[in-house]
Amino acid sequence: MNAQKLDRPDATGRFGDFGGRFAPETLMSALDELEKAFIDAWDDVGFRAELDRWLTEYVGRPTPLHAAPRLSEELGVEVLLKREDLAHTGAHKINNAIGQVLLARRMGKERIIAETGAGQHGVATATAAAALGLECHVYMGEVDIQRQALNVARMRLLGTEVVPVTSGAGTLKDAVNEAMREWVRTVETTHYVIGSVVGPHPFPWIVRQFQRVIGDECLSQLGERRPDVVVACVGGGSNAMGIFYPFAGTGAELVGVEAAGEGIGTGRHGASLGAGTPGILHGARTYMLQDEDGQVEEAHSVSAGLDYPGVGPEHAYFLEAGLARYVSVTDAEALEGVALLARTEGIIPALESAHAVAWVAKARDELAGRTVLINLSGRGDKDMGTIIEWMEGRL
Amino acid sequence: MIRSMFGPDHKVLLPYMTAGLPNEEVSPDLFAAMADAGADGFEIGIPYSDPLMDGPVIQKASQEALEAGIDVDAALRVVEKVAHRTGLPCLAMTYANVVFRIGLEAFCARLASAGAQGVIVPDLPVEEAEPVLGAAAASGLGVVLFVAPTTGEDRIRAVAARDPAFIYGVAELGVTGEREKSSGRAVELSRRVRAVTDIPLVLGVGISTPEQAAEAARVADGVIVGSALVRRVLEAASPENAAKSLNEAVRDLRAAL
């Protein structure tokens, strides 16, 4: 069956069977308040004009749509790249961060908290908070703090306090847990800028609305043309939903690429949709990695941004409604994707975004003669440490 | 049986303890030591990997229990022994994903057959509670629902309308854990709950000392004390010391109420 995409989740915050609001009672009134404030802001031409001004004059939107001639020739597939890596701070995360920090300021909040994995959402939120003059604290797993030292330094320079999270495996999932715990303590004065299309309602919807600018821009940049396939990497899934949502219903096939890590069969991966089961994670019903008792299992990916055992509930809906399909590529394939794009187009992508490039290379026979739009969600500078290890054969 | 704990001249003391701490064999002894000291019943934590509403102490307890192999089956064996040995009402506390993953009917049936009287799920707000309330009722279990200082009147009414076994009043903003001083916000919360319903109100979160328990009990029907007790077990040099330390702590709390 092919269902329709939904303008917004239903009254219970669900996209079909997914989403909802499994949150501690202390947060419930704040979630209600946030939903009302977002609806009010989104319908306010003044707010939208202010957001557009920030996206244009500060973020640098619209980001280019680049027809990638040498990559296209090498693969025998016509490839278009949406250059979110050229947005200020180097990834699509800034679209949501600017939107939510503007919303927080409008709501009269004095303080911002956020979680981060690879550090891109942390840097984007720290940037938005600096530019708009709000206090900011970012929760980051201590393992990620070690592997993303550059982004930690950027956040500190931007005036944000980076709070190390030692619980669990010290990665993205634990950073979300700790940011939510902090929000339970400070909910009356603080807004939690969640970084992906995850969390209790209304977060998945708000983040999708702030990220849909990616797909909306592509549609207007393409004029009458339409791609046959739209490809994006999926961790929590914000860059993917940002480009998928406007393209759903246009006839384009939507392909989300999850992290297969060391291989789905090894159990060390981040493929929540491809190899997970429905459950409740971070306040929403969605697909996730878990055992028979519902204990959350650790994800694994060479890319910190895809190292997450859940996924946004709207992706779970897209999967079950047949609106998108979800595939995966391994760590090794993703690193080959980095090299391929660097060599053919002079662009070093983030390890996350390289998953999308790598899948197109892997599926070139299936894609031959078709036009493929890849969301190049971020740049690879932050990953050079990992990439150097791989180049030297140490990975 | 949960409601029968409450009486006009009796403030209920419900210790929280993670099941299977420090291990499955010793765990029931710790509950028995608290029963001897005057506990009225127990909130027994089924360990979960991602306890969002818990502070560092209960997080550590959950992690240690999971590492010691305390899965849901093992936790329910502890519940069964505690219920049998102490004869006190046992309420199982765990997170929504465990309940839904095992299946609402299956989970409630297993709890009931272990002798539990009720279930507490801190990430299950009233909007999402309906299916759990139905499954619990079918197994003869009570469900506890939450109110917090941030909860508005309409939500308090919605909670009362579900007729929970008791209302868990979150006494402090933030997750579970000891606080040096109470914020006093529970007083206003209690007044707002009392204006709407006579369902028993039990305060928890941030209540650790006998003084804090006494202060909370002045405006509620009972108190839940968790992290302060769990910390004693985590810090104890031996299981015997843990039992002795818990017995003393619960005795002091009881005396203060």
Side-chain angles (χ1 to χ4, degrees), chain A residues 284-314:
Chain A
R285 184 168 190 275
T286 187
Y287 273 73
M288 61 185 282
L289 306 179
Q290 59 181 331
D291 72 10
E292 288 176 358
D293 276 355
Q295 308 293 347
V296 185
E297 292 181 326
E298 295 296 341
H300 171 82
S301 172
V302 70
S303 115
L306 305 185
D307 198 348
Y308 181 66
V311 66
E314 195 167 15

Side-chain angles (χ1 to χ4, degrees), chain A residues 12 14 19-29 32 167-168 173-174 176-178 180-181 184-185 187-188 277-282 288 290-296, chain B residues 47-55 59 63 66 71-73 96-98 100-102 110 122-128 146-148 150-151 155 170 172-175 185:
Chain A
T12 70
R14 280 171 173 72
R21 207 176 251 186
F22 295 89
E25 175 61 28
T26 307
L27 295 182
M28 292 302 287
S29 59
D32 277 338
S167 59
K173 171 188 73 125
D174 312 295
V176 176
N177 285 340
E178 210 50 43
M180 282 206 174
R181 290 183 184 119
V184 174
R185 189 177 72 82
V187 63
E188 290 166 314
T277 47
I280 296 160
L281 183 65
H282 294 145
M288 61 185 282
Q290 59 181 331
D291 72 10
E292 288 176 358
D293 276 355
Q295 308 293 347
V296 185
Chain B
Y48 180 54
S49 57
D50 292 72
L52 205 61
M53 191 53 204
D54 285 306
Q59 283 176 47
Q63 197 175 338
L66 287 170
D71 57 10
V72 172
D73 277 334
N97 193 47
V98 174
F100 282 88
R101 174 67 166 164
I102 290 171
R110 281 165 72 180
D123 56 347
L124 189 79
V126 64
E127 289 86 341
E128 303 285 359
F146 287 77
V147 298
T150 50
T151 304
R155 296 185 60 81
V170 178
E172 301 287 342
L173 296 182
V175 296
R185 294 188 68 169

Side-chain angles (χ1 to χ4, degrees), chain B residues 178-180 206-215 225 228 252-253 256:
Chain B
E178 296 163 78
R179 315 285 201 273
E180 272 185 26
I207 299 171
S208 48
T209 66
E211 294 71 31
Q212 288 167 341
E215 186 188 337
V225 179
D252 290 346
L253 289 164

Side-chain angles (χ1 to χ4, degrees), chain B residues 224-245:
Chain B
I224 294 174
V225 179
S227 295
L229 300 173
V230 174
R231 184 171 51 74
R232 286 170 179 257
V233 178
L234 293 175
E235 288 174 357
S238 70
E240 294 73 28
N241 286 0
K244 187 163 170 291
S245 174

Side-chain angles (χ1 to χ4, degrees), chain B residues 56-120:
Chain B
V57 170
I58 295 177
Q59 283 176 47
K60 185 159 189 281
S62 292
Q63 197 175 338
E64 286 191 7
L66 287 170
E67 283 164 7
I70 306 300
D71 57 10
V72 172
D73 277 334
L76 291 180
R77 286 195 295 273
V78 171
V79 170
E80 189 163 12
K81 289 196 177 110
V82 173
H84 183 74
R85 257 174 80 172
T86 68
L88 297 176
C90 295
L91 293 102
M93 187 285 258
T94 196
Y95 285 81
N97 193 47
V98 174
V99 180
F100 282 88
R101 174 67 166 164
I102 290 171
L104 303 181
E105 287 75 19
F107 181 80
C108 291
R110 281 165 72 180
L111 274 189
S113 78
Q117 302 283 320
V119 60
I120 301 177

